[in-house]
Amino acid sequence: MSGTVQADDNTRRSYDQAITDVITYVYHYQIESSRAWTCAKVALLDAVGCVLETLDQSAEACAMVGPVVVGTIVPNGFRLPGTPYQMDPLKGAFDLGSLIRYLDHNDAFPGAEWGHPSDNLGAILTVADWLSRESSSRGEQPLTIRTVLIALVKAYEIQGCFQIRNAFNKVGLDHTILVKVAATAVTSWLLGLSENQAQAALSQAWMDGGPLRAFRQSPNTGPRKGWAAGDASMRAVHLSLLAKNGQPGAPTVLTNPRWGFYNNLFKGQEFELPRPFQSWVIENVFFKVHAVEGHGASGVEAAEKIGQVMRARNLDPDKDIAHIHVRTQQAAMIIINKQGPLYNSADRDHCMQYMIAVVLLKGSMIETRDYQDDSPWAHDPRVEALRKKIDLQEDLEFTADYHNREKGCASNALKVSLTDGSDLEEVLVEYPVGHPWRDDTIGLVKAKFENSVKATFGDGEQSHEILRMASLEEEAFADTPVCEFMDRFAK
């Protein structure tokens, strides 16, 4: 009796279309939208501001950063903002990507998958700074911020367009797989790889698969959700360097029927890309003005408005609230709907009930420090008592609006029932602060950046120089050498 296992077909094929399309876009698309350039500048500043905020607010994150071998200074290495460290591009990408993301205060983009496109700057800015310093050391023209912004726009676009219809969360994979993919594509371009080498690097990114999403979900939520983007950025840089040094790719890594990504990790489905790669994502990214998980931002704003009503009526949230009913979208139900104990800051900043409770009891917007283990709110029994009075329910219309790009909202509505049997009027928020369609978003993000700079460097000359540079007209800002930009943030 003979076996049934057949030999694999070893005929080498062309790269999968999804890989070819991404690399063609990265290497050939010209960015013409003025709004894209404006938003890219703001996104870069916001990401660096998030780095400074994390260094100021999180001892846990600070313990992870710096060279692996203490005291190492890499010649022409990447300079990590807000620190004295000058590192190799791999550890630099990990540290920068982690610091951008750690406090969940960087930008966000919705879809069937949820993600944070500025995570990609962990790879982009690290490699660009390193290359800029290498060029300067040889007496050559260094890379400028314009190159960083081009890579930023394209990484945002790749990640965001994949997010629209492709739910990696539904197969248990973390969305940082898209950070690794997008960052590998643009890092390959930054490093001067040929298009074929870039395809090889990108195929390797898909061949890795992705980390499980377990660290973002109950009961295993933990700080890895803060450094997963740094891990993806580091891997993207490494894969690009390997391809540059001659490592070949796997052309049918996605479509191979026996060993490919689609059949083994994506339930046999192919990726859906409903729009061409251009500059749409950076123009529609959600900036986090408040330190709130994106799907809960409108809910927290609604809670703030309810708090104002209660104070005007001399009502005490601790004593006078019997129940709070929250209508929300499916994404919020999956990501930030938690009952039971909250064990760490990563748990708290992904719990809608905690955020609403703190806002009501505090009487003002929740802040980064309110999630930390040493925050009085983290151990306040009133918070836990109020959390138990809050229930979340999916509103199918809200979910439909969330996925409707013409509507473009992540709505939440809160209705408070009081202990005297009466109800407060329901408060609905569709477009919270930071939404791309709001006229005040850009100004508020710039103010957020200024606050982070002054919190880190004080109100002296260094802060003034950073803010002067940040206020340059777009052309002058884009012409700034990357190494000069990064030097401004050294400590």
Side-chain angles (χ1 to χ4, degrees):
M1 181 180 294
S2 60
T4 59
V5 177
Q6 301 296 312
D8 287 333
D9 180 359
N10 200 39
T11 304
R12 185 56 62 98
R13 293 170 171 80
S14 300
Y15 275 97
D16 289 327
Q17 194 63 47
I19 292 174
T20 300
D21 289 347
V22 166
I23 298 305
T24 299
Y25 164 70
V26 169
Y27 277 69
H28 298 287
Y29 182 76
Q30 300 297 313
I31 301 165
E32 298 178 351
S33 165
S34 59
R35 177 169 169 78
W37 289 105
T38 297
C39 292
K41 177 186 176 183
V42 173
L44 173 61
L45 296 175
D46 184 53
V48 177
C50 288
V51 170
L52 300 179
E53 182 185 17
T54 302
L55 291 168
D56 181 58
Q57 297 281 336
S58 176
E60 184 178 72
C62 290
M64 295 193 305
V65 303
V68 174
V69 179
V70 176
T72 301
I73 300 174
V74 176
N76 302 321
F78 161 70
R79 297 196 73 166
L80 184 66
T83 77
Y85 302 133
Q86 191 159 3
M87 294 182 288
D88 71 87
L90 294 187
K91 186 55 163 64
F94 177 86
D95 288 0
L96 184 64
S98 298
L99 292 173
I100 290 170
R101 182 76 195 104
Y102 208 80
L103 297 180
D104 200 10
H105 207 178
N106 63 323
D107 57 27
F109 191 78
E113 186 57 71
W114 321 293
H116 307 273
S118 57
D119 292 351
N120 290 282
L121 281 163
I124 294 167
L125 197 52
T126 300
V127 169
D129 184 41
W130 167 48
L131 295 176
S132 183
R133 294 180 192 283
E134 286 281 307
S135 297
S136 292
S137 71
R138 297 190 298 267
E140 300 171 0
Q141 195 71 21
L143 266 65
T144 66
I145 291 296
R146 187 183 312 279
T147 303
V148 170
L149 298 180
I150 291 170
L152 181 157
V153 169
K154 293 182 177 181
Y156 273 55
E157 189 74 0
I158 296 164
Q159 179 173 340
C161 285
F162 271 96
Q163 283 180 215
I164 297 171
R165 296 275 179 83
N166 303 293
F168 293 87
N169 56 83
K170 290 189 175 179
V171 295
L173 298 178
D174 189 59
H175 58 70
T176 51
I177 187 174
L178 294 178
V179 177
K180 178 172 57 178
V181 166
T184 297
V186 297
T187 299
S188 295
W189 173 72
L190 285 170
L191 288 166
L193 275 65
S194 69
E195 288 184 58
N196 185 259
Q197 289 175 317
Q199 288 175 318
L202 188 55
S203 73
Q204 295 285 355
W206 286 119
M207 193 139 50
D208 277 357
L212 295 177
R213 191 181 163 83
F215 54 81
R216 291 191 198 276
Q217 303 291 156
S218 299
N220 297 303
T221 307
R224 180 168 177 166
K225 77 178 182 62
W227 55 260
D231 193 40
S233 293
M234 177 172 65
R235 184 61 172 164
V237 176
H238 196 193
L239 292 175
S240 299
L241 290 170
L242 287 170
K244 183 176 184 177
N245 290 326
Q247 285 297 305
T252 57
V253 62
L254 298 174
T255 59
N256 183 275
R258 186 174 181 185
W259 307 111
F261 185 95
Y262 290 150
N263 281 350
N264 286 284
L265 295 177
F266 216 58
K267 296 185 176 180
Q269 304 171 72
E270 295 189 5
F271 298 137
E272 290 186 60
L273 294 168
R275 57 178 298 119
F277 297 120
Q278 294 173 334
S279 60
W280 178 76
V281 173
I282 186 62
E283 297 176 41
N284 289 280
V285 76
F286 178 79
F287 288 106
K288 291 189 182 181
V289 175
H290 302 309
V292 178
E293 198 281 335
H295 301 92
S298 57
V300 172
E301 278 196 33
E304 189 176 31
K305 292 179 180 180
I306 289 171
Q308 293 168 355
V309 171
M310 293 189 70
R311 287 192 298 277
R313 293 176 53 177
N314 293 317
L315 294 170
D316 184 342
D318 181 36
K319 298 176 181 177
D320 295 319
I321 292 178
H323 180 255
I324 301 175
H325 180 65
V326 182
R327 292 190 294 133
T328 190
Q329 350 83 37
Q330 184 187 69
M333 294 295 294
I334 295 171
I335 302 172
I336 53 175
N337 180 24
K338 288 182 180 176
Q339 300 292 339
L342 302 175
Y343 296 100
N344 49 55
S345 60
D347 252 346
R348 295 180 203 105
D349 70 24
H350 270 52
C351 177
M352 175 94 89
Q353 293 92 334
Y354 179 85
M355 294 186 284
I356 290 172
V358 170
V359 168
L360 289 171
L361 292 166
K362 182 181 178 182
S364 60
M365 182 55 64
I366 195 166
E367 300 174 279
T368 300
R369 63 177 64 90
D370 298 329
Y371 300 111
Q372 304 306 310
D373 291 345
D374 59 359
S375 167
W377 300 112
H379 310 285
D380 192 323
R382 296 177 302 161
V383 174
E384 290 310 299
L386 193 51
R387 276 184 64 212
K388 293 175 182 177
K389 299 177 183 179
I390 303 170
D391 81 277
L392 274 61
Q393 183 178 41
E394 180 186 1
D395 185 301
L396 295 178
E397 185 176 347
F398 287 2
T399 297
D401 289 345
Y402 174 82
H403 291 290
N404 180 355
R405 303 314 307 175
E406 299 300 317
K407 184 74 173 177
C409 59
S411 302
N412 282 285
L414 273 62
K415 186 171 185 178
V416 173
S417 299
L418 301 174
T419 53
D420 65 4
S422 65
D423 293 334
L424 297 181
E425 184 178 351
E426 183 183 65
V427 175
L428 166 66
V429 176
E430 293 182 300
Y431 301 100
V433 170
H435 193 281
W437 296 358
R438 286 182 53 146
D439 293 337
D440 58 355
T441 291
I442 297 297
L444 289 170
V445 177
K446 289 180 178 178
K448 172 189 168 188
F449 171 73
E450 182 174 342
N451 290 338
S452 293
V453 169
K454 289 183 176 179
T456 300
F457 300 107
D459 200 20
E461 185 63 26
Q462 187 169 3
S463 286
H464 294 164
E465 283 298 309
I466 290 171
L467 296 175
R468 183 197 62 77
M469 178 179 63
S471 67
L472 291 172
E473 294 296 325
E474 287 176 14
E475 282 298 313
F477 181 78
D479 288 337
T480 304
V482 179
C483 52
E484 181 181 314
F485 175 84
M486 298 301 289
D487 284 344
R488 298 288 188 194
F489 297 95
K491 206 170 185 183

